[in-house]
Amino acid sequence: MNKVSVVGAQTPMRPQPPRHRRASDFPPARPPEPLQPPAPARTAPSFERDVMLGLSLPHKAIPSTWLYDHRGSELFEQITQLDEYYPSRNETRILERCAAQIAEAAGPHSVVIELGSGSSRKTRLLLAALDAPQAYLPIDISEQFLAESVAGLPSLFAGLRVLPVVADFSRLDSLPELALLGGDHGRRVVFFPGSTIGNFTPDEAVGLLTRIGLAVGPDALLIVGADTTQDPAVLIPAYDDRDGVTAAFNLNLLERINRELGADFSLTAFRHEARFNAEQQRVEMHLVSNYTQRVTVCGHPFQFAMGESIHTESAYKHSLLKFQHLAARAGWSHRQLWMDGQSRFAVHVLEPSRPAARPRERNVIFR
Ligand code: AVJ
């Protein structure tokens, strides 16, 4: 019996302003701590290996993490501002309205760990609502973007320890940085917004959420923002906008391969395409070859037929029930569930599942 609250247009919403605190509530500001070097437990991701392997597949595909170099992260930021790209807007609306209740579930002195932190904009909503958060550990693959994004936080949240971690969180097995915090803190709150979970296949997502649970321990809270939309008329424009920002974001991958791996992709020889795969319930981004051609990467030739594509990203759209099932397989169950008024986006607030013999109290609210 979960607390299911739907934030609807019909629901009279009291806006939840961020809790403003006086400077005297906090110890003096401190600058973000230096970026943490990769820990030995992490396997080094290799762009070259992923590209060479991916272009050798019968259905060419490159893991979507490689879209997010500095330029890619900037372009994705622009995507989040587009009219057509509803997920960011709808999720922000949910967080604005529900942050206070989420903060209540988190309790005081929490440690916030964010996976794929990007610009950290939504995190500010959460941090502002939390009761004296102790530390913020943003994890992102783009070192420069991460450094830029956290630079302003200490002046906004005095007393908050900011520990940026440069890593591909999808390959992160443990969080040695947590040991740096010492023992005196509240709940660990893993913040995983932006529907990034949708980039993983359902099985991968179960693996990831399971590993998160092992890394953060039994008393954690996990906040996942996930797009639930199934309507292609809404989805396709969101991934193929009229200004061509998403196209530039996708094609930037070829530019990156040219620059970093010495390849000769022609950026006009490929076009961006967004497809809805209804059977898999996912949006796919492809780079489609405009004609038959040969491209050289790291000295190796790769042949493209006309219309053949490189699959560059999948965005799974989990219905509420599917997500609940997936989370359960990974050992998490709902504490709260929030949706926007258009029923397009969900914010799942999860806790580690415990044996049925020790049920916890939950509010059951259907609105
Ligand atoms: C950041 C991965 C969640 O899948 O919606 C947006 C990426 N790609 N437009 C998404 C993206 C094209 C985005 N995620």
Side-chain angles (χ1 to χ4, degrees), residues 84-87 227 229-240 283 342 344:
E84 297 99 322
Y85 194 73
Y86 61 89
D227 193 8
T229 306
Q230 301 291 332
D231 181 358
V234 174
L235 289 168
I236 297 301
Y239 288 84
D240 192 4
V283 175
Q342 294 176 305
R344 286 185 185 168

Side-chain angles (χ1 to χ4, degrees), residues 68 76 79 85 194-196 199 238-239 246 249 285 313 315 317:
Y68 299 87
F76 176 67
I79 289 173
Y85 194 73
S195 212
T196 309
N199 282 158
Y239 288 84
T246 311
F249 170 69
M285 288 209 316
E313 190 170 50
K317 306 298 173 183

Side-chain angles (χ1 to χ4, degrees), residues 351-363:
E351 290 174 324
S353 312
R354 301 203 183 152
R358 283 199 301 152
R360 276 163 303 171
E361 274 209 26
R362 288 198 181 92
N363 299 324

Side-chain angles (χ1 to χ4, degrees), residues 17 49 64 89 159 165 226 238 242 254 275 279 294 333 336:
R49 189 180 49 217
S64 60
R89 206 170 39 247
V165 181
R242 87 184 91 70
L254 299 184
R275 301 174 187 164
E279 192 200 335
R294 205 173 78 160
S333 51
Q336 299 170 347

